[in-house]
Amino acid sequence: MLTDRQLVILKTIIDEFAISAEPVGSKLLIEKYGLPYSSATIRNEMAILEELGYLEKTHTSSGRVPSLMGYRFYVDSLMEINVEDEVKQQLQTVFYDRRKSVNEIVVECCDILSELTSLTSVGLGPDASRESLQRITLVPLTHKSVTAIIVTDKGHVENKTFAINPELSLEDLNNCVSLMNDLLVGCPINEILDKLEDEVKPILAARIRQHELLFNAFMEAFVRFAGSNVHFSGKENMLYQPEYSDVVKVRKIVKAFENNDLWRQLNPVDQGMMIRIGDSDYELGIEDVSIISSSFKTGDHTHGSISVIGPTRMQYNRVVSLVEYISNEIQKIFDDEEVE
Amino acid sequence: MLTDRQLVILKTIIDEFAISAEPVGSKLLIEKYGLPYSSATIRNEMAILEELGYLEKTHTSSGRVPSLMGYRFYVDSLMEINVEDEVKQQLQTVFYDRRKSVNEIVVECCDILSELTSLTSVGLGPDASRESLQRITLVPLTHKSVTAIIVTDKGHVENKTFAINPELSLEDLNNCVSLMNDLLVGCPINEILDKLEDEVKPILAARIRQHELLFNAFMEAFVRFAGSNVHFSGKENMLYQPEYSDVVKVRKIVKAFENNDLWRQLNPVDQGMMIRIGDSDYELGIEDVSIISSSFKTGDHTHGSISVIGPTRMQYNRVVSLVEYISNEIQKIFDDEEVE
DNA sequence: GTTTAGCACTAGGGATAGAAGAGTGCCAAA
DNA sequence: TTTGGCACTCTTCTATCCCTAGTGCTAAAC
């Protein structure tokens, strides 16, 4: 069990290191933070905190740096969650604009989050492939092209344009679409891929000459629902953090940011906060990275999340407060809608 | 006028520097490329080429580096355009798949381009805001939400979901959409914003209670057409180039890559190739960058382009050949369609 | 006249050494 | 239990030196 003095010292070191990114020495705690102990006392306490695993040294005669365990303890027991009123107000103007879709709100929240934290944030919109097919509509463009518009029950839209030619008539297309509307409406998008293969394809093959072409085109359009709902804000913020002033690390970060699939995998499945410190278990390929995520339920089977990515020394209290607040507010919007 | 020997030396230096990114010395040209002259002769020639402005030195006793003028000369007079047959074949499988839309082809070509060149490529799809409105369709999702789907004559789709509530009835929305279909169909998207304000808004105001809300929502959806058609491939490739092994430069590059508007501005307006060497006139904020772009006409008023971005020392012959070939092939697809 | 061998010269890169500075650990006194 | 003091450690910065790759120029060779 830590004494009060040890707690204060640990907390101050974590706070200071979040700002300076430099190992913290005993003298600084007195000069800058006015701790009412001598530097020798602080050094003794720091030695104890190190022995207990909360602090580390970068070399024998350096100042102290919080360990992963130190951060974990800070996050679990030491930090205070609090969002400033001005920030709340700023955010409310985003949330209470009812014209906006979930995805739009998620995108705007990410932008604000990375602005407020000077870090990188990722928003994962609800996974559209868990939504179900609402309707496929054909809109003729010219006398030789038609676009098929696929809408889910949550209003996610994909489309695919077809050229009308001797091999593929408008009638064929109409038949195909009404067949699919009959068989597939109400079915979750991720199950449609199988159903398309098993149920639609045989019928199509019997009725339409260019069934392969049609079939593949629709397959492709349905597959697209699964992608394209990862939004990043402030990617470059991460590159201004002093711990990544090394080109090799920067490359790794950029590479990780380009890999949307990775972030879809990192989407926390359970509702609520998830605080990954030092990215110990997940394979980001970057060191010294922490990820604060919070997910929200947007329907029976769908959920989204917002995350902030930053160096391990990030200001957890601020970041966690913001992410939690925003995620809760987004959740509220959905809960309200359900009740209505 | 340059002698044949000077041309050979200039070309060899440019080729070698493209590979090594290190200043090229007289000895190397003999050892690696077997030029049949002594190093002294080559040094004399290099001194002349430097005086003429085709070469530069990084310091008094360094090897030579091609100057911007040297590259310009190389591109205009020295390089041979040639695409290998295997590459052509690989690309044909992309082009002759008629199920694909322009945007899909552009995206695939970018992916292939950055793969083949190990550089970064950008594709700009046709600017949807020059296309004209084909139709707005309403698709009901639940009893309290409807999505409006806006389609252009080229098959570009945007949508906007509305919540039905006591203030905004389905009827209102229906009225609004049929009004817009009457007044705006056939009108170019970029003119619609004005028309919406001048013609639609007054009528809407008279008929519908929540006209402001509706109006703004549609405005927003129309604005979206202008964005979101910039596609990057291989962003991280650029970071592996030795000239950008400095963090400050890497940051600039990443920042420039994040700025989609910038790339939309860089879209070459005229048809055909555009070779920017050393990025002299445009404001990318990065040094030592060249951009090879080629645009293609996709309709009366719309065009797209593909570009490759790389260090100034890039292999112009290879990159220009590829970009030109791909751009021409994309153009062919459109020309064919017009004839059909 | 052109080409080449040879040599003096230059600037950058890497290694080494020393000095400065920031911090620790620990002992002995308060 | 706390603190002043001091020896010790490690990093970082700077200066210096050497080595090397490359040049320019001159004089000799072709």
Side-chain angles (χ1 to χ4, degrees):
Chain A
M1 198 54 208
L2 297 181
T3 66
D4 283 353
R5 191 167 66 188
Q6 286 163 349
L7 292 178
V8 169
I9 291 173
L10 178 56
K11 184 168 182 305
T12 312
I13 290 174
I14 288 177
D15 289 343
E16 171 59 19
F17 186 62
I19 300 169
S20 71
E22 299 285 330
V24 181
S26 53
K27 228 169 151 187
L28 188 86
L29 293 184
I30 299 168
E31 283 167 5
K32 184 164 173 188
Y33 292 90
L35 295 201
Y37 320 107
S38 76
S39 66
T41 308
I42 293 180
R43 279 202 293 284
N44 288 333
E45 294 288 35
M46 293 202 296
I48 298 173
L49 285 167
E50 183 178 358
E51 208 162 332
L52 293 172
Y54 296 106
L55 294 177
E56 282 170 358
K57 277 191 289 196
T58 58
H59 61 267
T60 24
S61 70
S62 77
R64 296 310 203 290
V65 163
S67 67
L68 296 188
M69 178 178 153
Y71 280 120
R72 180 56 66 188
F73 179 74
Y74 176 83
V75 164
D76 290 343
S77 324
L78 235 48
M79 74 180 176
E80 288 157 15
I81 298 285
N82 172 39
V83 178
E84 301 92 324
D85 286 339
E86 310 98 76
V87 175
K88 281 186 183 169
Q89 278 171 23
Q90 186 193 352
L91 285 165
Q92 289 305 329
T93 63
V94 177
F95 297 128
Y96 283 96
D97 185 342
R98 288 310 192 77
R99 292 196 313 269
K100 297 205 180 84
S101 69
V102 209
N103 273 315
E104 287 167 318
I105 290 178
V106 168
V107 167
E108 280 191 45
C109 285
C110 280
D111 292 347
I112 294 175
L113 259 178
S114 59
E115 176 83 14
L116 288 175
T117 59
S118 297
L119 298 174
T120 305
S121 56
V122 192
L124 290 161
D127 182 358
S129 64
R130 306 302 269 307
E131 299 170 8
S132 50
L133 179 64
Q134 179 70 16
R135 172 140 220 93
I136 305 177
T137 312
L138 284 177
V139 175
L141 302 176
T142 64
H143 64 281
K144 56 191 178 197
S145 63
V146 183
T147 193
I149 294 169
I150 307 170
V151 188
T152 71
D153 58 340
K154 303 284 181 199
H156 194 118
V157 173
E158 291 288 344
N159 75 308
K160 181 83 207 175
T161 301
F162 294 90
I164 299 298
N165 53 39
E167 274 117 48
L168 181 71
S169 71
L170 182 56
E171 210 189 329
D172 286 343
L173 206 51
N174 265 321
N175 283 338
C176 175
V177 167
S178 59
L179 178 69
M180 288 168 79
N181 273 330
D182 287 347
L183 291 176
L184 303 175
V185 162
C187 178
I189 303 290
N190 56 358
E191 292 173 22
I192 278 184
L193 296 176
D194 290 335
K195 274 205 172 181
L196 213 55
E197 185 81 40
D198 299 340
E199 300 179 20
V200 179
K201 203 175 183 181
I203 308 182
L204 229 51
R207 291 199 205 161
I208 296 170
R209 205 146 35 111
Q210 289 287 312
H211 60 274
E212 277 288 349
L213 191 151
L214 257 180
F215 179 78
N216 287 335
F218 274 108
M219 275 296 257
E220 211 185 286
F222 279 114
V223 167
R224 271 208 297 270
F225 278 100
S228 76
N229 50 358
V230 180
H231 172 84
F232 275 86
S233 291
K235 276 183 186 174
E236 71 277 14
N237 283 351
M238 198 67 172
L239 308 185
Y240 288 92
Q241 303 301 329
E243 33 269 275
Y244 314 119
S245 55
D246 169 16
V247 193
V248 178
K249 286 178 187 162
V250 170
R251 285 179 190 152
K252 283 186 186 168
I253 293 174
V254 173
K255 204 169 182 181
F257 283 176
E258 290 306 300
N259 185 351
N260 279 358
D261 289 333
L262 182 67
W263 297 97
R264 225 171 280 126
Q265 283 168 33
L266 286 178
N267 193 3
V269 194
D270 308 323
Q271 213 170 336
M273 295 292 300
M274 182 157 182
I275 301 177
R276 295 200 190 88
I277 296 173
D279 184 45
S280 40
D281 22 19
Y282 277 86
E283 297 296 335
L284 253 189
I286 327 174
E287 281 153 36
D288 293 325
V289 169
S290 287
I291 307 177
I292 314 298
S293 317
S294 182
S295 67
F296 40 87
K297 237 181 121 197
T298 55
D300 296 337
H301 300 289
T302 65
H303 60 274
S305 72
I306 50 171
S307 308
V308 170
I309 302 137
T312 318
R313 70 179 163 83
M314 72 164 77
Q315 299 192 34
Y316 290 93
N317 54 350
R318 183 162 170 72
V319 174
V320 172
S321 304
L322 284 169
V323 171
E324 189 175 51
Y325 179 74
I326 288 176
S327 174
N328 284 343
E329 291 297 310
I330 295 178
Q331 186 64 66
K332 268 193 208 161
I333 298 173
F334 282 96
D335 295 348
D336 286 357
E337 277 180 11
E338 306 253 312
V339 173
E340 257 174 38
Chain B
M1 197 53 206
L2 297 182
T3 66
D4 282 355
R5 189 167 68 188
Q6 285 165 350
L7 291 178
V8 169
I9 291 173
L10 178 56
K11 186 170 181 304
T12 313
I13 290 175
I14 289 177
D15 289 343
E16 171 59 21
F17 187 62
I19 300 169
S20 71
E22 298 286 329
V24 182
S26 53
K27 227 170 153 187
L28 188 85
L29 293 184
I30 300 169
E31 282 167 7
K32 183 164 172 187
Y33 292 91
L35 295 200
Y37 321 108
S38 76
S39 66
T41 309
I42 293 179
R43 277 203 294 283
N44 287 334
E45 295 287 36
M46 293 202 298
I48 297 173
L49 286 168
E50 183 176 359
E51 207 161 334
L52 293 172
Y54 296 105
L55 293 178
E56 282 170 356
K57 280 191 288 197
T58 58
H59 61 266
T60 23
S61 70
S62 76
R64 296 307 202 295
V65 163
S67 68
L68 295 189
M69 178 178 153
Y71 280 121
R72 179 57 66 189
F73 179 74
Y74 177 83
V75 164
D76 290 342
S77 324
L78 235 49
M79 74 179 175
E80 289 157 14
I81 298 285
N82 171 40
V83 178
E84 301 92 324
D85 286 339
E86 310 98 77
V87 174
K88 281 187 183 168
Q89 277 170 23
Q90 187 194 350
L91 285 165
Q92 288 305 329
T93 64
V94 178
F95 296 128
Y96 284 96
D97 184 343
R98 288 308 194 78
R99 291 196 316 268
K100 297 206 180 83
S101 70
V102 208
N103 273 316
E104 286 167 319
I105 290 177
V106 168
V107 167
E108 280 191 46
C109 284
C110 281
D111 291 346
I112 294 174
L113 258 178
S114 59
E115 176 82 16
L116 288 174
T117 60
S118 297
L119 298 174
T120 305
S121 56
V122 193
L124 289 163
D127 183 359
S129 64
R130 305 303 269 305
E131 299 169 8
S132 50
L133 178 64
Q134 178 70 16
R135 173 140 220 92
I136 305 176
T137 312
L138 284 177
V139 175
L141 302 176
T142 64
H143 64 282
K144 55 191 178 195
S145 63
V146 183
T147 193
I149 295 170
I150 307 169
V151 188
T152 71
D153 59 339
K154 304 283 181 200
H156 194 119
V157 173
E158 290 288 344
N159 74 307
K160 181 82 207 176
T161 302
F162 294 89
I164 299 298
N165 53 40
E167 274 118 48
L168 181 71
S169 70
L170 183 55
E171 210 188 328
D172 286 343
L173 206 51
N174 265 321
N175 284 337
C176 175
V177 167
S178 58
L179 178 70
M180 290 169 79
N181 273 329
D182 288 346
L183 292 175
L184 302 176
V185 162
C187 177
I189 302 291
N190 56 358
E191 292 174 22
I192 278 184
L193 296 177
D194 289 335
K195 274 206 173 181
L196 213 56
E197 185 81 38
D198 299 341
E199 300 180 20
V200 178
K201 202 176 181 181
I203 307 182
L204 229 52
R207 291 199 205 161
I208 295 170
R209 201 140 43 105
Q210 289 288 313
H211 59 274
E212 277 287 350
L213 191 152
L214 258 180
F215 179 79
N216 288 335
F218 275 107
M219 276 295 257
E220 212 184 287
F222 280 114
V223 166
R224 271 208 297 268
F225 279 100
S228 74
N229 50 359
V230 180
H231 173 84
F232 276 87
S233 291
K235 275 183 186 174
E236 72 276 14
N237 283 350
M238 198 67 172
L239 308 185
Y240 287 92
Q241 303 301 330
E243 34 270 273
Y244 314 118
S245 55
D246 169 16
V247 193
V248 178
K249 287 178 187 163
V250 169
R251 284 180 191 153
K252 283 186 186 168
I253 293 174
V254 173
K255 204 168 179 182
F257 283 176
E258 290 306 299
N259 185 351
N260 279 359
D261 289 333
L262 182 67
W263 297 97
R264 225 171 282 127
Q265 283 168 31
L266 286 178
N267 194 2
V269 194
D270 309 323
Q271 213 170 338
M273 296 292 300
M274 181 156 184
I275 301 178
R276 296 200 190 88
I277 297 173
D279 185 45
S280 40
D281 22 20
Y282 277 85
E283 297 296 336
L284 253 189
I286 326 174
E287 282 153 36
D288 292 326
V289 170
S290 287
I291 307 177
I292 314 298
S293 317
S294 182
S295 67
F296 41 86
K297 237 182 121 197
T298 55
D300 296 336
H301 300 290
T302 63
H303 60 273
S305 72
I306 50 170
S307 308
V308 170
I309 302 137
T312 317
R313 69 178 165 83
M314 71 164 77
Q315 300 191 34
Y316 290 93
N317 54 349
R318 183 162 170 71
V319 174
V320 173
S321 304
L322 283 169
V323 171
E324 190 175 48
Y325 177 76
I326 288 177
S327 175
N328 284 342
E329 292 297 310
I330 296 179
Q331 186 64 67
K332 268 193 208 161
I333 298 173
F334 282 97
D335 295 348
D336 286 358
E337 276 180 11
E338 304 252 315
V339 174
E340 258 174 36

